[in-house]
Amino acid sequence: SHADLLAHPLPGVLTTELGSGRLQSSVIWYWTDGDDVLLSTMAEFVKARNLRARPRATLLVLDAEDRWVEVRADVREDPDPDPTATLDAVGVRYTGLAPYFGAVVPAHLAEVEHPVTFRLAPTSVVAGGPPTPAGPPAPAPASVPPDDGAPARPDAPPPGLPLPATHVDLVDRPILAAFATRLPDGGACCQPARCARDGDVLLVATTAEHPWARNLRADPRATLLVVDRANSGRWMEVRADAELVAGAAGAVTARLHARRIVCDAIHA
């Protein structure tokens, strides 16, 4: 029902594990080989170092109708005999241009960036449609404790970084974000979420028993990536500390206090 999402050149969101334990989410180009998903990146990029050190990742692909598929996978470096030619081919798939160095990005980058291909072998696949609730979460006071029996934290997380004025419109518009939380085994759950903001605090609505809430109670570190649908090269990644705030009838709002913000860093 969702295989077509991987067949089309849609921007993917790849979430990898940083050495600090936080999650990095970034926009990638991908293609398929049977049931495997492949991607091309640069050996010097953070995501490549993450994949080599911790060879698992989660890929989220979302289409214009808000259908989505999440692929959790084991990762290995592919023995690609010509990774530059592979990169040229995926550049044509996404942009219609070749060669990659010279037509897609400046030619001089070939002197400092070296393509490498990774193969993702799925271990879990989850698919769905537009998430609920239909609307964004409302701002909630930070002093309300969770209603799931967990003790309230004595102090709210310290204030986070300010959201950049150049990209805050991505949160204010009705764009689904890729919301990544850490699973009990340390891997990433990355699924679409509706988000809003309360000043510089990002808000994601969930419920007390949703896997997101369970993950955040165990590890409050989360990463949210929102991509401009008119230009997949324009995006904002926010690595944050989350605070769960209870609402009515089991509703919970995750308030995300930004600790690191990355924008449009295609070469990272």
Side-chain angles (χ1 to χ4, degrees), residues 149-167:
R153 296 181 188 175
D155 298 300
L161 299 172
L163 300 176
T166 55
H167 287 67

Side-chain angles (χ1 to χ4, degrees), residues 163-170 234 236 263-264:
L163 300 176
T166 55
H167 287 67
V168 74
D169 66 289
L170 296 177
R234 181 172 182 260
M236 177 172 68
C263 296
D264 305 342

Side-chain angles (χ1 to χ4, degrees), residues 55-128:
R56 60 182 177 180
T58 298
L59 174 70
L60 175 67
V61 178
L62 178 73
D63 73 5
E65 285 74 45
D66 293 341
R67 296 164 60 242
W68 57 272
V69 60
E70 179 205 41
V71 179
R72 302 174 194 166
D74 291 331
V75 180
R76 63 181 174 87
E77 191 168 335
D78 199 65
D80 191 334
D82 192 347
T84 299
T86 298
L87 179 61
D88 288 343
V90 74
V92 171
R93 168 175 158 88
Y94 275 87
T95 70
L97 301 174
Y100 180 82
F101 292 112
V104 180
V105 301
H108 69 83
L109 290 174
E111 301 173 6
V112 293
E113 295 179 358
H114 301 90
V116 62
T117 304
F118 286 97
R119 180 177 292 267
L120 282 63
T123 58
S124 171
V125 179
V126 182

Side-chain angles (χ1 to χ4, degrees), residues 170-223:
L170 296 177
V171 180
D172 293 337
R173 289 155 55 189
I175 302 174
L176 286 178
F179 184 47
T181 58
R182 288 180 62 94
L183 294 160
D185 67 359
C189 168
C190 185
Q191 296 181 357
R194 302 187 188 279
C195 62
R197 66 186 178 99
D198 180 9
D200 289 319
V201 178
L202 295 172
L203 310 173
V204 174
T206 184
T207 64
E209 294 308 315
H210 193 283
W212 294 343
R214 294 200 299 269
N215 292 344
L216 291 173
R217 284 195 292 270
D219 188 333
R221 295 173 293 182
T223 297

